[in-house]
Amino acid sequence: MGFMNSYCVAFLCIIVLLPALCHGGDYYSSRATYYGSPDCLGTPTGACGFGEYGRTVNDGQVSGVSSLYRGGSGCGACYQVRCTIPEHCTEEGTKVVVTDYGEGDKTDFVLSTAAYGRLARPYMAEHLFAYGVVDVEFKRIPCKYSYNLLFLVQAHSRYPGYLALVPLYQPGAYDITAIEVWQEDCKQWRPMRRPSGAVFDMTDPPLGALTLRFQGTVYGYGDSNFWVQLTNVIPSEWKAGYTYDTGISA
């Protein structure tokens, strides 16, 4: 697989540059509402398939989205969202991570209670909750975590015949739109299927440590695509429920 090593430096450079390329930009107008939960955080049953991560990531400041869901490829994206009522809303608003699909009254965002409350100035949150739906402005921003990008082997994976992966702590401002696995005996890349949300799966994956590559798509810059290769990122005896570190960070 020597031919693949030539890609790595260029791909990692792209990863480093993406936050700089995608930071800033124009705000877009939309509307936002919220959903309730007992602890004001996210939900572990969201459409992205994140499980408990989808409940607690970003301190529970998460959102379901409608058009921004993009068939699941929008899962894990980060947005700056601010409401447009000066007397009630802060100028910066809040940063949210997409963990679910959700539709409201002509809304792009269905925010967790924690995220919706962060839109408000001090002592003004009750006014926003009384509105139920508010006009907002939003823009895509790079995700930044204290963790590297991880791949979670979903709990219903069954070694060695069925593998389902979910990317967690996705850095930068790109969508993961495809994942492929290197099949050494055939000297070819095998695409994984996206059955739902951020979940990618495959029956009869190759034996041994798995080399993956994922396609990142950057929207707003000619919808440019790039590939990042991760050699032996999943160990030969992978286990359901475990996460594996890619070494890629924001």
Side-chain angles (χ1 to χ4, degrees), residues 41-245:
L41 303 179
T43 170
T45 58
C48 290
F50 286 144
E52 187 66 17
Y53 167 90
R55 190 180 75 84
T56 59
V57 66
N58 196 37
D59 296 327
Q61 294 181 65
V62 298
S63 182
V65 293
S66 51
S67 62
L68 299 172
Y69 186 72
R70 291 191 288 273
S73 66
C75 292
C78 293
Y79 292 91
Q80 193 76 28
V81 182
R82 62 190 188 190
C83 58
T84 58
I85 309 171
E87 62 270 29
H88 297 328
C89 303
T90 65
E91 292 184 5
E92 66 275 9
T94 185
K95 183 190 84 172
V96 296
V97 180
V98 174
T99 58
D100 202 355
Y101 178 87
E103 294 184 53
D105 180 11
K106 298 179 181 179
T107 61
D108 277 304
F109 295 92
V110 182
L111 303 171
S112 66
T113 307
Y116 192 84
R118 286 289 294 270
L119 298 175
R121 293 182 181 274
Y123 311 111
M124 291 293 174
E126 63 181 76
H127 295 283
L128 295 191
F129 284 110
Y131 287 128
V133 180
V134 293
D135 292 329
V136 297
E137 297 175 329
F138 72 92
K139 66 177 178 178
R140 181 79 179 262
I141 60 172
C143 296
K144 295 183 179 181
Y145 300 105
S146 57
Y147 299 92
N148 292 335
L149 171 67
L150 306 176
F151 279 114
L152 167 68
V153 178
Q154 272 207 327
H156 60 272
S157 298
R158 293 292 179 267
Y159 180 84
Y162 175 73
L163 174 64
L165 297 176
V166 182
L168 307 180
Y169 299 111
Q170 178 181 322
Y174 58 89
D175 293 350
I176 293 179
T177 48
I179 298 178
E180 298 181 344
V181 178
W182 178 250
Q183 183 91 36
E184 175 64 21
D185 55 354
C186 300
K187 305 296 184 190
Q188 66 179 14
W189 291 101
R190 287 178 55 192
M192 300 188 80
R193 182 181 67 122
R194 186 201 292 272
S196 63
V199 182
F200 293 85
D201 71 356
M202 170 180 283
T203 56
D204 299 321
L207 297 177
L210 299 180
T211 290
L212 310 178
R213 67 177 184 178
F214 68 82
Q215 179 179 257
T217 299
V218 182
Y219 294 97
Y221 293 89
D223 292 357
S224 58
N225 298 317
F226 61 93
W227 287 92
V228 176
Q229 179 186 313
L230 305 167
T231 302
N232 297 336
V233 67
I234 307 296
S236 57
E237 296 186 3
W238 46 264
K239 299 181 184 296
Y242 280 55
T243 56
Y244 298 100
D245 195 329

